[in-house]
Amino acid sequence: MAEPDPATTALLTVECQSGVVGEESALPELAKEARDSGMLDRVAALVEAARGAGVQVLHAIAERRPDGLAANTNARLFRAAGRLPVRQLTGSPAVEVAAPITVAEQDLVVRRLHGLSPMAGTDLDALLRNLGIRTLVVTGVSSNIAIPNTVFDAVNLGYQVIVPSDAIAGVPAACTAEVIRNSLSLVATITTAEALIEQWLPGSESTG
């Protein structure tokens, strides 16, 4: 894989929030997979390495207003989310970025009230273009829905997309490998967290 230029590359964490992958998750099976697989630790390491290399970090958060106004109801997933004991309510701990991932002052947090992708109906695309970003590294959850949506949307908008295969998760665990093999590998560069971190270490030369 040609090393992306840090100046035109951004790292995006998708729904790595307490109410999704944290200890008090609305989706305990997904949260367990994210923790037990090491995905959360690898995303945290990628975030730190990205900052050190001058790669812009963004965090995409899915949330709902407490009154549910304007939230999607046009799919079973959305209707079920409204009945979960932990809801991703604006301003609540559930929509804070989950440990061990950190949020630095220079990071950007992009929040959405609807849809399946942080690219849909948010200012994420505009922010990336304003930053001069051409390559987007996509991490987080879930490989079932949000990650494929994000990758496809980014490709459709003209970005080069990189997916570290061990920095995304879904349920069941086997789903992630199948989605990567049969879908994401057709449109994105597949790599690992370790390979990206090595590229971003001090002294590593980018080929753009």
Side-chain angles (χ1 to χ4, degrees), residues 76-151:
R76 190 175 76 180
L77 172 68
F78 301 125
R79 295 190 293 271
R83 298 191 296 269
L84 291 172
V86 177
R87 300 175 64 200
Q88 315 302 316
L89 299 182
T90 301
S92 73
V95 297
E96 296 176 358
V97 174
I101 302 167
T102 60
V103 180
E105 184 177 358
Q106 69 267 30
D107 294 0
L108 294 173
V109 178
V110 179
R111 300 181 181 276
R112 76 176 195 272
L113 290 173
H114 71 97
L116 299 170
S117 164
M119 284 282 187
T122 72
D123 55 2
L124 177 56
D125 179 41
L127 294 175
L128 294 173
R129 293 187 189 281
N130 289 346
L131 291 163
I133 300 301
R134 296 198 299 269
T135 300
L136 187 64
V137 180
V138 177
T139 66
V141 295
S142 72
S143 58
N144 308 76
I145 296 174
I147 296 299
N149 270 271
T150 305
V151 171

Side-chain angles (χ1 to χ4, degrees), residues 19-73:
V20 176
V21 296
E23 294 291 340
E24 302 297 326
S25 172
L27 304 164
E29 185 180 0
L30 177 59
K32 185 177 187 301
E33 173 61 22
R35 292 192 304 270
D36 292 354
S37 68
M39 186 219 78
L40 274 180
D41 290 331
R42 283 187 285 271
V43 173
L46 278 166
V47 164
E48 295 299 327
R51 293 192 192 114
V55 171
Q56 180 65 51
V57 175
L58 302 96
H59 306 278
I61 300 295
E63 59 184 45
R64 296 166 66 96
R65 287 169 50 110
D67 59 9
L69 186 65
N72 287 78
T73 57

